[in-house]
Amino acid sequence: MTHPFADLRSDTLTKPTPAMRQAMAEAAVGDDVYGEDPTVNALERRVADLLGFEAGLFAATGSLANQLGLRVLVKPGEELVTDHNAHVVRAELGAAAVFSGITTRTWPSTNGRVDADAVAASITPNAGPYLVSTTAIALENTHNFGGGTIQPQDQVRAVQQLGREHGLGLHLDGARLWNAAVASGVPIGDLSAGFDTVSVCLSKGLGAPIGSVLVGDAERIAAARIWRKRYGGGMRQVGILAAAGLHALDHHVDRLADDHARARRLGAALGLDPASIDTNIVMLDVPDAASLVVAAADGGVLCSAIGPRRVRLITHLDIDDDAVDRAIKVLLSAL
Ligand SMILES: *Cc1c(COP(=O)(O)O)cnc(C)c1O
């Protein structure tokens, strides 16, 4: 067993850099439940401005930010529709049902890429007293379990139009929206436009140790702030955490292009079409995912089996060119 030199399981595994720790140590703080933490306020303002919304809310996790967004868009007993592999239905442990009484249905997709016709076929707005009424649609950009897929903007616009026609709420799970913006060259404010609520993560590719921001209009964010406290997510002098997010926005956004180039190089070396790798996630289809994970770990490369025959590799801030070169050798021999 080689000491792990490349941890490709997730981009959540990054450790704060010395400069980020310095920024955290120097952060001005106050009690955020009182609205008095200047660093949290600055982060919320900055992300809201970047994404083109009135207000922002700092949340400990992306799951909490998503769930607060859904909470303010969908009432108990109403329905959210989303992709069959969406994080909000697969990886948040039933939170929408448990916390908000939300029922969900899903549309099928290939690699998580949204098709507005599939969304149209899955909604049942104003269904009357017999069937569940759809009241919101959630999209995910990039799509995690789809393989870091960037959503086609024409389809996003078509889904938004469909939602508006039927008076539905529109939530975007933008945990990796920064990756989508950097890889596509489309400004992040264009990717977030047209939604009612958008969540973004600071703790994935941006490399902060914790934190997400939910944005929306002032009224929805005020409501989400109340729900955050009710869920036990009101935090105090967390400017020390928000400072990591602000530092990441200053220093770790443009460099996501390096993660994307490395993911493409890794995928190509493993026999994938590099054009199929949109951002920082590489999906390998293999006969036995669990045994590949064990063999790779033996050689010092950590990766995740996300299905019986599917392995996920994610590049991030702590994976440099050398780590990719060495990971390619280990993975090729493990394959
Ligand atoms: C990571 C992730 C989240 C949030 O995860 P947390 O672990 O709760 O921070 C939300 N959506 C997607 C698509 C993600 O990949």
Side-chain angles (χ1 to χ4, degrees), residues 302-333:
L302 304 184
C303 46
S304 306
I306 63 154
R309 282 177 290 279
R310 188 157 250 223
V311 170
R312 190 186 68 178
L313 309 162
I314 305 193
T315 56
H316 52 74
L317 191 57
D318 293 349
I319 301 294
D320 60 13
D321 282 326
D322 181 50
V324 170
D325 291 336
R326 294 173 63 195
I328 288 169
K329 286 203 189 92
V330 168
L331 288 164
L332 282 177
S333 80

Side-chain angles (χ1 to χ4, degrees), residues 61-63 66 87 92 140 144 173 175-176 201 204:
T61 66
S63 297
N66 277 335
H87 195 277
E92 298 181 13
E140 187 174 313
N144 177 351
D173 177 351
R176 295 189 182 81
C201 278
K204 298 264 166 89

Side-chain angles (χ1 to χ4, degrees), residues 9-206:
R9 289 172 301 167
S10 176
D11 45 7
T12 57
L13 291 152
T14 55
K15 309 246 168 72
T17 61
M20 181 179 278
R21 285 174 181 269
Q22 187 70 30
M24 295 170 75
E26 288 167 2
V29 298
D31 191 323
D32 180 50
V33 171
Y34 287 71
E36 293 175 4
D37 189 301
T39 311
V40 171
N41 291 343
L43 175 68
E44 291 176 344
R45 186 70 263 141
R46 178 150 171 204
V47 175
D49 287 345
L50 262 173
L51 272 60
F53 285 81
E54 280 177 1
L57 182 68
F58 187 45
T61 66
S63 297
L64 179 56
N66 277 335
Q67 292 303 324
L68 291 171
L70 299 180
R71 173 86 240 186
V72 300
L73 294 177
V74 187
K75 292 208 230 8
E78 295 176 348
E79 180 180 81
L80 169 78
V81 295
T82 192
D83 178 89
H84 67 147
N85 269 325
H87 195 277
V88 292
V89 290
R90 284 204 64 202
E92 298 181 13
L93 306 181
V98 172
F99 295 146
S100 307
I102 294 171
T103 156
T104 41
R105 271 184 321 120
T106 56
W107 64 76
S109 72
T110 303
N111 299 332
R113 193 166 273 113
V114 66
D115 170 359
D117 291 338
V119 180
S122 71
I123 61 169
T124 51
N126 305 312
Y130 186 66
L131 296 175
V132 178
S133 292
T134 307
T135 53
I137 298 170
L139 298 185
E140 187 174 313
N141 197 10
T142 66
H143 199 291
N144 177 351
F145 295 124
T149 310
I150 300 174
Q151 299 299 354
Q153 274 301 92
D154 61 328
Q155 295 301 305
V156 171
R157 295 289 178 244
V159 170
Q160 290 175 338
Q161 195 185 330
L162 176 77
R164 297 286 167 231
E165 271 164 26
H166 296 284
L168 306 180
L170 293 160
H171 175 73
L172 176 63
D173 177 351
R176 295 189 182 81
L177 197 61
W178 320 100
N179 296 83
V182 168
S184 65
V186 177
I188 195 162
D190 290 353
L191 300 178
S192 57
F195 291 95
D196 296 309
T197 51
V198 180
S199 67
V200 287
C201 278
L202 304 163
S203 59
K204 298 264 166 89
L206 294 198

